[in-house]
Amino acid sequence: MAALRALKAVLVDLSGTLHIEDSAVPGAQKALKRQPAVRGMESRCHFTAKDSRVFLLGCLKKILSDSFLPIHVIVLPEENHGLIFPGIITDDPNAVVVGLAPEHFHYEMMNRTFWLVLDEAPLIAIHKARYFKKKDGLALGPGPFVAGLEYTTDTKATVVGKPDKTFFLEALRGTDCTPEEAVMIGDDFRDDVGGAQNAGMRGILVRTGKYQPADEEKISLAPYLTCENFPEAVEHILEHLL
């Protein structure tokens, strides 16, 4: 068996791994400061992970700018649309973007989106997470709504984020780090760990957030490691991978 390469980058999921809604996972902020190389993997964060607020949306914006203008977005609170997508939102779109926007997942909006996709507007998904963790328990993610649109329109969505392999590789673009020199820490065994390992990275699953008992046994390639929480994962990295 080939020796593991020394670690150069740590990719960190946010929701469920570092925080649940507006509350930090105990010890996560202190542990995050101990990381030598951290890159966030979601659209927003109240921590200090490098590029965490803009990485996913940057990937999305690049794809949209290169391929699909104008767009119809049901992805972010309306007050943020102009900040993230200045000048490209319109009432006459030729592409549809779906992300986690619970206030928009109602019949009228989904039906309008259905019509747009039927009219051959490309369907783009920020990600296809099935569920995520809130303070009061698990809640539906965008995945079920994207799957519903795929089913009703007989269309396959383009997935910009996890678990798409390209998304993980994009996180390393412009660095001298190979996938074998990176590790992903997250609470989702499919999207975080499975997606990262499919891209050639190591995956560490944490038992916080959306984690359910025996999740680590539900993917064909077992996680590199399963830890109780993010601080424990950081401790392992500092002791064994650097």
Side-chain angles (χ1 to χ4, degrees):
M1 182 177 178
L4 293 175
R5 295 192 187 182
L7 196 66
K8 289 186 178 179
V10 180
L11 311 181
V12 185
D13 171 63
L14 303 181
S15 177
T17 303
L18 296 183
H19 67 85
I20 297 174
E21 296 189 87
D22 59 356
S23 297
V25 170
Q29 289 172 303
K30 182 178 179 180
L32 187 61
K33 294 177 181 179
R34 301 180 67 196
Q35 292 278 39
V38 178
R39 187 169 293 236
M41 292 290 286
E42 285 190 1
S43 60
R44 62 184 179 86
C45 183
H46 299 297
F47 296 80
T48 58
K50 182 180 179 183
D51 297 336
S52 62
R53 292 185 300 272
V54 298
F55 177 69
L56 175 56
L57 291 176
C59 293
L60 172 63
K61 188 175 179 180
K62 182 178 186 303
I63 289 175
L64 293 173
S65 298
D66 290 346
S67 307
F68 307 116
L69 289 176
I71 62 172
H72 166 62
V73 175
I74 54 169
V75 58
L76 294 170
E78 291 183 1
E79 61 268 22
N80 287 334
H81 285 176
L83 297 177
I84 304 301
F85 302 106
I88 63 175
I89 304 285
T90 179
D91 291 330
D92 185 25
N94 61 8
V96 170
V97 179
V98 181
L100 182 59
E103 68 276 17
H104 293 305
F105 290 144
H106 52 76
Y107 183 83
E108 288 77 13
M109 177 63 81
M110 296 306 294
N111 203 42
R112 183 190 175 201
T113 305
F114 165 69
W115 291 337
L116 288 167
V117 178
L118 276 185
D119 200 32
E120 300 185 348
L123 176 61
I124 303 167
I126 290 286
H127 58 80
K128 292 183 73 175
R130 303 182 185 195
Y131 47 85
F132 68 103
K133 181 64 179 293
K134 297 181 67 175
K135 291 179 181 179
D136 59 356
L138 296 179
L140 288 175
F145 300 94
V146 174
L149 289 168
E150 289 179 318
Y151 172 73
T152 54
T153 61
D154 199 23
T155 299
K156 188 70 174 176
T158 296
V159 180
V160 177
K162 300 176 293 185
D164 187 73
K165 179 178 179 179
T166 302
F167 177 67
F168 289 93
L169 298 180
E170 182 70 16
L172 304 181
R173 189 164 63 90
T175 74
D176 63 352
C177 180
T178 67
E180 294 77 16
E181 296 167 323
V183 64
M184 172 72 195
I185 305 173
D187 65 324
D188 190 313
F189 70 96
R190 293 186 190 89
D191 294 350
D192 297 333
V193 174
Q197 296 193 152
N198 185 51
M201 302 177 183
R202 281 164 274 184
I204 297 179
L205 181 65
V206 293
R207 296 189 180 100
T208 56
K210 69 174 70 173
Y211 173 85
Q212 299 291 291
D215 272 355
E216 58 269 38
E217 300 172 8
K218 298 174 184 176
I219 50 178
S220 56
L221 180 60
Y224 161 75
L225 183 69
T226 301
C227 294
E228 287 303 313
N229 49 41
F230 179 71
E232 185 178 302
V234 170
E235 194 66 38
H236 175 88
I237 287 171
L238 294 174
E239 290 186 8
H240 301 286
L241 297 180
L242 297 179

